[in-house]
């Protein structure tokens, strides 16, 4: 960590602290607003009447869960259909073909579940209509779904002796229209002022200054690459003096991609692409916009349960975990790659490079350098965003382990929009349960007694994702089709598979991107991991919200364990780390740990 | 379940139209009026023709130009229609081989240069379209470019300085040299 990195991290946390409270208060007001007359209420009245929604109708947890799953299933169908019908749809100037059934299914699940894992390259697969009407829409509504579920759980704590946990339609509509849309509009316009493109033009061809000479595979009459007897492609010399610039409505998608912790890039290189993330200033604001709503939701939680300290406690636990991991990631990347420090066979012919002093620059952009890239990597994986401004596959072993572990902790370090809060509250319930066992008292959280039903739901929600990750990884490692996706040899290859399943099941969406996942095997397996990683958590969370809402509130007494303050922060952090480590240490030892030891012993 | 279907369908259609059509069209409309150059890709024009984007790097291999970051896009480097990084892991032998070949190419173009090679000049960028190099990477190539163009080192150094940016607002990112603008300035200087 050099001075620049400390200043950057400090400034980032300061800005987040500054924005979290006003934003949190705003969110709590929007999500709990009544029906007093105003233009907002007028708009809602008209919309809800047209849609056949009873605004004041309270839903029980089961009805709420059905509504959420049904709404997301519709999204799944829509995104799948749009991709399959692409050649016949408008706004496709590059005449992109329809997407294969397995890839279209994977992408549809991916965007509906707020994962935004991408097996395809954006600018060479998706026309503008799909980017907008398919993917951008899901960026909004999947994030709104997360907010809705989180608020429903918070209502479970805030209410007592109640049968309902809110109205799913009203919650999704309000989160989209009054929270995500105005923020995205502002951010998109800022982005486009800074150079993020926003147009519907065909790709722009330009004449370059220098001629590019390269080797390309020779194609046969059908456009397929020719192969020699050994099965290697036959290469031929080629040259070009032009460059084709990909275009599109990028800024509008970029804004919600960050604010909704979606992370699906318009382009293959995601936020490393200069048209998505042109300057370090934009980069900083992109990082901030990832954490803005997840951070603010902690405060909204405190406001709704009527004790802001509860919200700040959750926020503090998240911030503590985040800052420690960010310092690690920046430090590890700054160490560089010892194998590149000296290039050449013999002492006499070898050439020195600045690999150790300048850090690990493979897969990073010069404008961001080490600190701004490693911080972004921590932010994007602490939150379940998954946008990348550097290629995590090329990170140092331990630098790459930071994003991996951040995902494996269950996306609760700020986490996804909504999903971070409900994930962390599940851990808070577990923490009071464990503390209750230690001090011999009935566990309670926010005045609600935690009983067998709540602990069952907590266990399902916490154990579903590790199960998906570890079983999925094992299945992939043991099959030919699974091993075929590996790009890098050795322990890193195992880490690529582990990363893919950690990312999918925790709905992050970033990747060790050398990994070839666009095959029927991975498209289907990862889609299943994403779907169940999302809804096998959401459904138990809503079930718990329902049972909590029905409970009476116990008044605070001398025997109540306070769930605010440093002691509870430490307890919460401890539980998150403990569960994460118990689940994943053996798998991590086989991947990044082995790779780290090999790297520094072979120098 | 049936009672849920109508609200689900109508809300989905409504939000799709608002967030998937109205919102991006609105942003496009405002951006086109307020920031026309940026929205269209920050194109650089020379003699009325587009010769690149100020944000997207180009491939340079002629010794008279400053070279940019290596690019892993396929099939040709700096393919701005298919951005990509190399995704080579730190222990991948292909990474060490690639770096070795790039170092060899730099040395072949400038045999007398004994200084350590700046690492950003021999490692592939994340996007494959990186428009910048570090000031150290520009400095490393200065004498080669000056010699090839029969220019004074001082004059070239001046052009490099003019195309160097510091950190944004003094705190964000890294100082960097814009390779395409620098090479355009060199060509303009020669005219």
């Amino acid at each position: 960590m050099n001075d620049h990195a400390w200043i950057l991290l400090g400034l980032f946390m300061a800005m987040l602290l500054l924005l979290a409270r006003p934003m949190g208060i705003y969110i709590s007001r929007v999500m709990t607003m009544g029906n007093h007359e105003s233009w907002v209420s007028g708009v809602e009245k008209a919309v809800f009447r047209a849609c056949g929604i009873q605004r004041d109708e309270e839903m029980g947890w089961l009805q709420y869960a059905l509504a959420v799953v049904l709404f997301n299933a519709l999204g799944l169908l829509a995104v799948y259909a749009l991709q399959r019908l692409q050649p016949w749809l408008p706004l496709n100037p590059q005449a992109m073909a329809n997407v294969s059934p397995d890839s279209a299914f994977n992408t549809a699940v991916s965007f509906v579940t707020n994962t935004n894992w991408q097996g395809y390259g954006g600018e060479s697969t998706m026309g503008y209509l799909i980017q907008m009407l398919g993917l951008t829409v899901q960026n909004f509504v999947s994030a709104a779904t997360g907010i809705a579920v989180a608020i429903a759980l918070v209502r479970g704590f805030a209410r007592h002796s109640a049968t309902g946990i809110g109205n799913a339609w009203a919650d999704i509509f309000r989160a989209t229209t009054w929270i995500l849309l105005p923020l995205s509009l502002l951010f998109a316009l800022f982005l486009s002022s800074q150079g993020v493109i926003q147009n519907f033009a065909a790709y722009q061809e330009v004449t370059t200054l220098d001629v590019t000479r390269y080797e390309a595979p020779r194609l046969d009459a059908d456009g397929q690459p020719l192969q020699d007897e050994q099965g290697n492609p036959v290469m031929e010399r080629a040259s070009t003096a032009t460059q084709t610039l990909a275009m599109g409505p990028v800024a509008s998608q970029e804004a919600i991609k960050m604010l909704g912790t979606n992370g699906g890039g318009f382009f293959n290189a995601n936020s490393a692409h200069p048209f998505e993330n042109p300057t370090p200033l934009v980069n900083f604001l992109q990082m901030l916009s990832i954490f803005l709503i997840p951070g603010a939701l902690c405060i909204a939680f405190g406001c709704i349960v009527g004790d802001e300290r509860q919200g700040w406690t959750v926020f503090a636990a998240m911030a503590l975990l985040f800052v420690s991991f960010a310092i690690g990631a920046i430090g590890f990347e700054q160490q560089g790659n010892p194998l590149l420090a000296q290039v050449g066979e013999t002492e006499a012919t070898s050439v020195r490079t600045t690999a150790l002093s300048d850090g690990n620059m493979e897969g990073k952009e010069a404008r961001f350098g080490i600190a701004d890239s490693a911080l972004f990597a921590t932010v994007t994986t602490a939150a379940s965003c998954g946008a990348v401004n550097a290629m995590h596959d090329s990170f140092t072993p331990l630098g790459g382990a930071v994003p991996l572990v951040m995902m494996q902790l269950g996306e609760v370090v700020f986490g996804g929009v909504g999903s971070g809060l409900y994930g962390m509250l599940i851990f808070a319930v577990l923490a009071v349960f464990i503390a209750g066992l230690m001090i011999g008292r009935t566990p309670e959280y926010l005045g609600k007694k935690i009983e067998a039903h709540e602990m069952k739901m907590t266990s399902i929600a916490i154990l579903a994702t590790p199960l998906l990750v570890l079983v999925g990884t094992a299945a992939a490692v043991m099959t030919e089709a699974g091993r075929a996706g590996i790009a890098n040899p050795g322990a890193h290859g195992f880490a690529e598979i582990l990363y893919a399943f950690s990312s999918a099941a925790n709905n992050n969406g970033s990747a060790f991107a050398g990994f070839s996942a666009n095959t029927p095997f991975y498209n289907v397996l990862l889609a299943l991991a994403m779907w169940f990683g999302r809804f096998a958590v959401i459904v138990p969370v809503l079930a718990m919200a329902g049972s909590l809402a029905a409970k009476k509130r116990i008044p605070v007494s001398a025997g109540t364990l306070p769930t605010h303050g440093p002691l509870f922060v430490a307890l919460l952090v401890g539980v998150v780390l403990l569960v994460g480590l118990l689940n994943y240490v053996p798998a991590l030892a086989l991947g990044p740990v082995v790779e780290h030891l090999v790297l520094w012993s072979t120098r | 379940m049936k009672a849920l279907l109508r609200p689900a369908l109508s809300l989905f259609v409504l939000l799709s139209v608002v967030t998937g059509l109205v919102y991006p069209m609105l942003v496009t409309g405002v951006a086109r009026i307020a920031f026309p150059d940026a929205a269209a890709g920050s194109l650089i024009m020379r003699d009325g023709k587009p010769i690149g984007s100020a944000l997207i790097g180009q491939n340079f291999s002629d010794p008279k130009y400053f070279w940019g970051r290596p690019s892993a896009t396929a099939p040709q480097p700096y393919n701005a229609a298919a951005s990509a990084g190399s995704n080579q892991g730190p222990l991948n032998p292909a990474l060490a081989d690639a770096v070795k070949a790039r170092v060899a190419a730099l040395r072949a173009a400038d045999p007398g240069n004994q200084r350590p090679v700046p690492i950003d000049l021999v490692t592939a960028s994340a996007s494959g379209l990186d428009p910048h190099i570090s000031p150290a990477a520009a400095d490393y190539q200065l004498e080669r470019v000056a010699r090839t163009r029969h220019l004074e080192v001082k004059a070239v150094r001046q052009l490099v300085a003019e195309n160097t940016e510091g950190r944004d607002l003094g705190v964000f990112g890294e100082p960097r040299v814009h390779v395409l603008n620098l090479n355009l300035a060199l060509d303009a200087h020669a005219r």
Side-chain angles (χ1 to χ4, degrees):
Chain A
M1 292 277 287
N2 53 18
D3 290 350
H4 164 64
W6 284 115
I7 293 170
L8 182 73
L9 182 60
L11 213 54
F12 180 73
M13 291 312 292
M15 287 294 286
L16 183 65
L17 271 172
L18 207 68
L19 293 172
R21 189 161 185 273
M23 192 65 213
I25 291 171
Y26 176 72
I27 292 176
S28 77
R29 285 204 187 141
V30 167
M31 298 308 290
T32 57
M33 68 181 159
N35 297 330
H36 43 264
E37 288 306 312
S38 67
W39 69 271
V40 168
S41 185
V43 170
E44 290 197 341
K45 206 185 263 177
V47 166
F48 291 171
R49 188 180 301 143
C51 295
I53 297 168
Q54 305 293 324
R55 170 160 59 166
D56 303 320
E57 184 194 35
E58 285 287 325
M59 292 181 174
W61 79 265
L62 190 60
Q63 203 188 2
Y64 199 105
L66 279 173
V68 164
V69 173
L70 182 68
F71 185 78
N72 282 284
L74 286 177
L76 184 73
L77 285 177
V79 180
Y80 181 81
L82 281 169
Q83 291 177 82
R84 298 289 294 147
L85 299 174
Q86 172 151 262
W88 299 281
L89 297 174
L91 285 178
N92 183 8
Q94 298 311 114
M96 307 281 191
N98 52 358
V99 183
S100 74
D102 56 294
S103 174
F105 171 64
N106 180 282
T107 303
V109 172
S110 171
F111 277 74
V112 167
T113 56
N114 201 256
T115 311
N116 307 56
W117 169 271
Q118 295 173 292
Y120 60 92
E123 66 267 52
S124 51
T125 316
M126 301 294 183
Y128 302 156
L129 188 76
I130 300 188
Q131 297 269 23
M132 289 158 42
L133 198 54
L135 308 184
T136 302
V137 170
Q138 288 307 316
N139 283 354
F140 277 99
V141 297
S142 67
T145 299
I147 295 179
V149 172
I151 295 295
L153 176 62
V154 174
R155 286 192 194 113
F157 286 112
R159 292 176 178 181
H160 54 96
S161 317
T163 51
I165 53 171
N167 184 306
W169 310 128
D171 287 347
I172 291 174
F173 177 81
R174 286 171 176 166
T176 308
T177 315
W178 310 129
I179 299 172
L180 297 169
L181 204 53
L183 283 174
S184 299
L185 202 56
L186 282 178
F187 195 38
L189 290 174
F190 170 77
L191 289 174
S192 65
S193 77
Q194 298 296 302
V196 179
I197 57 175
Q198 179 75 19
N199 59 57
F200 293 109
Y203 290 6
Q204 169 83 44
E205 192 163 288
V206 299
T207 310
T208 55
L209 235 57
D210 199 358
V211 177
T212 299
R213 292 181 182 80
Y214 61 101
E215 294 217 318
R218 181 175 295 179
L219 304 180
D220 63 15
D222 302 330
Q224 296 301 312
L226 281 171
Q227 295 186 338
D228 63 13
E229 283 124 37
Q230 278 93 43
N232 296 317
V234 180
M235 303 302 275
E236 63 181 357
R237 282 167 182 243
S239 71
T240 179
T242 62
Q243 187 182 39
T244 304
L245 304 173
M247 292 282 139
V250 179
S252 54
Q253 186 163 336
E254 192 71 14
I256 184 61
K257 163 190 149 192
M258 297 305 180
L259 287 162
T261 62
N262 295 285
F266 197 97
F267 301 114
N268 186 45
N270 210 302
S271 278
H273 197 297
F275 277 162
E276 283 199 24
N277 192 359
T279 68
L281 173 65
V282 168
N283 186 63
F284 182 78
L285 292 173
Q286 289 202 353
M287 291 192 284
L288 206 56
S289 62
I290 296 175
F291 270 4
L292 176 63
I293 297 178
L297 273 169
C298 297
I299 312 309
F301 155 67
C303 292
I304 295 175
V305 300
D307 182 359
E308 231 182 274
R309 295 172 306 177
Q310 302 291 343
W312 284 112
T313 301
V314 172
F315 186 98
M318 292 176 170
L320 196 64
L321 282 164
F322 167 71
V323 169
S324 337
F325 278 89
I327 291 171
I330 297 171
F332 295 133
E333 287 310 290
Q334 194 67 62
Q335 282 188 334
N337 183 342
L339 300 186
L340 305 180
Q342 195 135 24
V343 199
E345 306 300 336
T346 64
E347 200 62 35
T349 61
S350 79
V351 177
R352 280 183 300 122
T353 73
T354 62
L356 293 177
S357 55
D358 286 354
N360 178 26
M361 283 301 288
E362 178 71 25
K364 293 192 180 63
E365 297 281 292
R367 62 191 179 284
F368 305 139
I370 303 295
D372 300 53
S373 299
L375 183 62
F376 194 109
T378 316
V379 170
T380 196
T381 48
S384 76
C385 182
V388 295
N389 79 348
M391 294 301 132
H392 296 184
D393 214 352
S394 297
F395 272 29
T396 61
L398 295 184
V402 167
L404 186 55
V405 172
M406 292 277 42
M407 298 187 299
Q408 290 172 340
L409 292 184
E411 295 298 10
V412 295
V413 182
F414 294 103
V417 165
S419 61
L421 179 63
Y422 64 68
M424 196 53 141
L425 290 180
I426 290 285
F427 274 105
V429 168
L430 183 62
V432 294
F433 177 73
I434 291 175
L437 288 182
M438 289 195 289
I439 57 177
R441 284 186 197 281
T442 318
E444 54 187 75
Y445 188 46
L446 306 173
K448 292 299 172 78
K449 211 181 263 182
I450 304 299
E451 293 169 299
H453 181 257
E454 286 74 42
M455 287 321 296
K456 275 184 208 157
M457 294 305 121
T458 298
S459 307
I460 296 174
I462 286 182
L463 294 176
T465 48
L467 189 75
L468 291 166
V469 172
L470 295 172
V471 171
T473 305
V477 171
M478 285 188 297
T479 51
E480 197 57 48
R483 290 191 298 268
I486 292 173
N488 285 287
H492 196 82
F494 173 75
E496 286 180 341
I497 296 181
L498 181 64
Y499 197 104
F501 281 95
S502 301
S503 171
N506 288 293
N507 299 137
N508 180 272
S510 67
F512 274 3
F515 187 64
S516 313
N518 198 355
T519 60
F521 176 85
Y522 277 118
N523 277 331
V524 172
L525 213 55
L526 291 172
L528 293 176
M530 290 188 275
W531 184 264
F532 289 103
R534 177 79 163 170
F535 293 104
V537 178
I538 281 184
V539 174
V541 162
L542 288 173
M544 190 157 99
S547 81
L548 287 171
K551 283 175 196 277
K552 290 201 184 72
R553 182 173 300 146
I554 315 164
V556 177
S557 72
T560 309
L561 173 79
T563 51
H564 58 83
L567 181 66
F568 193 72
V569 170
L571 193 61
L572 191 51
V573 167
V575 167
V576 169
L577 285 178
L578 197 67
V579 170
L581 291 177
L582 286 175
N583 281 323
Y584 291 109
V585 157
L588 289 169
L590 292 176
V593 175
V594 167
E595 197 189 357
H596 174 76
L597 296 176
V598 173
L599 180 67
W600 287 91
S601 60
T602 51
R603 59 188 298 201
Chain B
M1 197 68 185
K2 227 176 185 175
L4 291 174
L5 205 57
R6 185 180 159 220
L9 258 175
S10 27
L11 190 63
F12 182 71
V13 171
L14 175 85
L15 291 182
S16 292
V17 170
V18 172
T19 61
L21 294 175
V22 176
Y23 158 71
M25 302 270 182
L26 184 65
V27 175
T28 310
V30 177
R32 182 173 293 173
I33 295 162
F35 323 108
D37 283 351
S42 309
L43 298 178
I44 302 175
M45 310 298 272
R46 191 165 72 175
D47 310 327
K49 286 204 197 84
I51 52 145
S53 162
L55 296 174
I56 305 288
Q58 292 185 5
N59 186 55
F60 291 100
S61 53
D62 192 319
K64 72 175 181 178
Y65 287 120
F66 281 88
W67 299 355
R69 304 281 309 276
S71 160
T73 61
Q76 77 273 27
Y78 286 92
N79 179 0
S83 57
S86 77
N87 282 307
Q88 285 163 340
L91 270 166
N92 192 336
L95 172 63
D97 290 347
V99 170
K100 202 165 131 187
R102 292 163 190 155
V103 167
L106 280 168
R107 295 294 291 261
D110 189 10
N113 192 343
Q114 297 295 325
R115 286 185 291 168
V117 181
I119 195 69
D120 65 300
L121 202 50
V122 289
T123 46
S125 64
S127 62
L129 306 172
D130 197 338
H132 299 110
I133 52 177
S134 66
D139 199 48
Y140 181 85
Q141 305 182 65
L142 230 156
E143 282 167 32
R144 182 196 77 217
V145 172
R147 197 166 54 242
T148 320
R149 288 184 176 257
H150 308 292
L151 290 173
E152 274 188 54
V153 170
K154 217 174 96 188
V156 180
R157 194 182 301 276
Q158 177 62 30
L159 289 177
V160 170
E162 284 165 14
N163 288 285
T164 303
E165 287 173 77
R167 293 194 160 111
D168 287 14
L169 307 180
V171 282
F172 303 124
E174 296 294 335
R176 55 206 183 271
V177 179
H178 196 290
V179 180
L180 178 58
N181 282 346
L182 172 58
N183 285 333
L184 280 168
L186 277 167
D187 279 0
H189 189 82
R191 281 191 184 180

